[in-house]
Amino acid sequence: MVEKNFDTRGWKTEFSITVVDGKITESTFDNVNEAGAKKSEDAEYQANMAEKVGVGPADYFPQLNNQLIETQDPEAVEVVTGATQSSDTFKEYARLLIEAAEAGDTTTIEIDNAVEE
């Protein structure tokens, strides 16, 4: 799935899961900018956020992805302290992807996300 709109900081979510024999084997949740660069690989963003809240996207994106693979249940994924909004978005979008996978729908889901000023 992909968000249609970039947020006020220039990022939008891209998220996919791989399901094999009814089990999630891969989860790739990250944010990308207009150039296609991943937020989890942005060292400056990581340093700034980690300094302010103790965690950055290079930390919390892998945590969320790994938890989904381990638990197989978005509701069981724990919110990462310092990344509550991303954690909540992850859980919501994971539910949508799992529902689509269960229905056999592999088309890309485009979310017309609201952008707050």
Side-chain angles (χ1 to χ4, degrees), residues 29-65:
F29 175 80
D30 208 326
N31 292 160
V32 296
N33 63 19
E34 289 188 49
K38 293 181 179 183
K39 187 187 277 187
S40 64
E41 297 173 357
D42 185 324
E44 182 179 349
Y45 195 101
Q46 171 70 20
N48 289 338
M49 189 170 175
E51 182 180 318
K52 290 178 183 162
V53 297
V55 66
D59 305 311
Y60 63 79
F61 286 139
Q63 286 179 25
L64 295 168
N65 286 316

Side-chain angles (χ1 to χ4, degrees), residues 27-110:
S27 175
T28 55
F29 175 80
D30 208 326
N31 292 160
V32 296
N33 63 19
E34 289 188 49
K38 293 181 179 183
K39 187 187 277 187
S40 64
E41 297 173 357
D42 185 324
E44 182 179 349
Y45 195 101
Q46 171 70 20
N48 289 338
M49 189 170 175
E51 182 180 318
K52 290 178 183 162
V53 297
V55 66
D59 305 311
Y60 63 79
F61 286 139
Q63 286 179 25
L64 295 168
N65 286 316
N66 290 335
Q67 283 189 69
L68 183 61
I69 294 167
E70 290 169 13
T71 66
Q72 300 289 304
D73 178 5
E75 294 305 313
V77 172
E78 294 181 17
V79 171
V80 177
T81 302
T84 303
Q85 184 176 353
S86 290
S87 297
D88 290 344
T89 299
F90 176 88
K91 293 171 76 160
E92 177 185 343
Y93 290 172
R95 280 191 295 274
L96 293 173
L97 287 172
I98 290 168
E99 287 171 7
E102 288 172 345
D105 184 356
T106 60
T107 59
T108 299
I109 299 168
E110 185 175 65

Side-chain angles (χ1 to χ4, degrees), residues 2-7 10-14 30-33:
V2 62
E3 288 179 331
K4 184 176 179 181
N5 306 301
F6 290 95
D7 67 18
W11 301 98
K12 69 179 181 178
T13 300
E14 289 187 353
D30 208 326
N31 292 160
V32 296
N33 63 19

